[in-house]
Structure formats: C-alpha cells, structure tokens
Amino acid sequence: MVSPSDESPEAALQRQEARQREAEHRVKNTLQLISSIVMLQGRRVSDDTARQALRAVQLRVAAVSVAHRHVTWSDDCEEVELSGLVREIAGDLAGSAGREGVDIDLDLESIHIPGRHGAPVALLVSETVNNALRHAFRDGVPGRIRVGLRRTPEGFEISVADDGVGMDPAAPKAGFGLTVAQLMAQQLRGKLDIRPEQPGVRIIVSVPMDNHTQRA
C-alpha cells in the first residue's frame, strides 16, 4: 500500500479532487434532504403566511441545490456554466408556480464563472423570477417574463423583465425576496437596479468579473 507521502503529485491531485467531488455530493444530498423536510413541514402548517414563508425557504434551498448540480471541473478548478443554471431555475419556477398564461422567454449567452459564485447567482435568478411570477400578474392575467444573460465588457449582466402591473408607488421599495437578491448582488460585488417600464418592471443585475475568472 502506498502511503500519502510516497504518492506522485499527479496521484495526490487526483485523490484531492476525488475527495472534493465526494464532499460536493454530500452537500447536494444534504440540500435535498433539507428541501424535503421544509416541504413536509409546509404541508402540516395551516397558517397561510407561514406556509408561504416555508415555500420561499424551499425555493431558496432548491436554487442553491441547482447551483451545486451545475458545478463542473475544468483545468483543476470548479466552474459553473450560467446559461444552463438559469434555464433550469426558470423552468423549475415556472413549473411550480402553476401560472397558466404566463410565459418565460430566455435569451441566454453561455458564460462560465468560478464555482463559488454559482449559489449567489442562483439565488439572484430565483428571487427575481419568483418575484415577477408572484406580483406582476394579478387575478390570473396573462403575461410574459423575459430573462436575459449577456456578457459585458466588465463581466456579465442578468435581466428579468415583465409586462405586468408595474410598481406600486405606495408599496415598499423591496420585499424580503428582493432584499435577498440585493445581498447576493453585493456578495458578487455587483449592482442591482429596479427600473419601471411601460408596462411592467425590469430588474438588471450587473456583475464585474476579472478576465481570468470568465471565459466563453
């Protein structure tokens, strides 16, 4: 049996990568377990406000789980391809929302970022798309949500726009979901802008990325 001190550098690297993949697998399983527990708890709660809060927690855990599923290895480092990540989260939210007549259009460029940024981006997309699904279209009114992902000279930009009821001047500037999105944007050293449109609202998140941390 070869001891760790007798391993070649290549073998040691392979062993380290195997351990990291095993750890990632455990994280994924743990997140799925937490999501299942939250879902079961939500079914037992009779208060509608508490049920909605638990549902929001489940969506956030699910978004982080999606981010972990999209982590891959390239040149001995972890990375996430964002178009696939955004597509899966938007599809999951559309399916779980059960909103007939509300379509989600995707215009996504293929962008690779470091794996550590995957979870904040996943939460950003989840919160902004879910916000549009919940608040933009009242009383079953049909509409359209447009999700964009594009490369910029400084990094990349995520946009979520709807053609719904727009912003209520009397309402708070941001609920808890958008507060979470703001925090994730700050974690990415980015900026979140909320812009009224005619009709609807557009949310734009601009994220700077160093050249060596982003590739096509």
Side-chain angles (χ1 to χ4, degrees):
M1 180 176 179
V2 178
S3 66
S5 61
D6 295 330
E7 285 182 327
S8 67
E10 293 79 8
L13 179 60
Q14 290 176 358
R15 184 162 60 88
Q16 180 182 359
E17 291 177 352
R19 286 179 174 177
Q20 289 175 326
R21 291 191 182 97
E22 182 181 350
E24 284 289 331
H25 184 69
R26 287 198 299 268
V27 169
K28 293 175 188 176
N29 289 342
T30 301
L31 289 170
Q32 290 172 358
L33 177 61
I34 294 172
S35 180
S36 298
I37 292 172
V38 173
M39 180 178 64
L40 289 173
Q41 184 67 45
R43 290 176 178 173
R44 293 173 177 267
V45 171
S46 57
D47 180 75
D48 187 59
T49 301
R51 188 184 301 112
Q52 290 183 14
L54 287 169
R55 174 60 178 157
V57 171
Q58 184 186 5
L59 289 177
R60 289 169 186 131
V61 173
V64 175
S65 181
V66 170
H68 278 277
R69 284 203 301 273
H70 281 263
V71 172
T72 59
W73 281 81
S74 177
D75 298 328
D76 299 330
C77 64
E78 292 180 335
E79 66 177 22
V80 172
E81 197 284 308
L82 286 184
S83 67
L85 172 69
V86 174
R87 189 179 304 278
E88 182 171 349
I89 291 176
D92 289 347
L93 289 172
S96 63
R99 289 298 308 269
E100 294 185 6
V102 177
D103 297 321
I104 299 181
D105 294 337
L106 303 177
D107 183 11
L108 310 175
E109 292 186 17
S110 179
I111 300 172
H112 294 252
I113 65 171
R116 66 182 182 277
H117 296 321
V121 171
L123 285 168
L124 266 172
V125 174
S126 179
E127 297 296 340
T128 52
V129 174
N130 189 46
N131 182 73
L133 285 168
R134 290 184 59 197
H135 301 298
F137 311 104
R138 298 172 183 167
D139 303 321
V141 174
R144 189 173 299 277
I145 298 170
R146 301 178 302 281
V147 182
L149 171 66
R150 69 181 185 91
R151 206 175 283 105
T152 65
E154 297 78 21
F156 65 91
E157 179 181 279
I158 300 170
S159 64
V160 177
D162 65 73
D163 57 0
V165 297
M167 300 179 67
D168 182 355
K173 284 288 185 180
F176 184 72
L178 287 182
T179 299
V180 172
Q182 288 273 16
L183 290 172
M184 294 303 102
Q186 292 173 13
Q187 184 172 330
L188 292 163
R189 299 181 294 112
K191 180 182 178 182
L192 186 149
D193 289 324
I194 303 175
R195 304 176 184 177
E197 298 205 330
Q198 299 297 328
V201 174
R202 179 184 297 271
I203 297 174
I204 298 176
V205 183
S206 303
V207 180
M209 297 288 288
D210 297 332
N211 290 334
H212 68 276
T213 61
Q214 179 186 200
R215 69 176 181 84

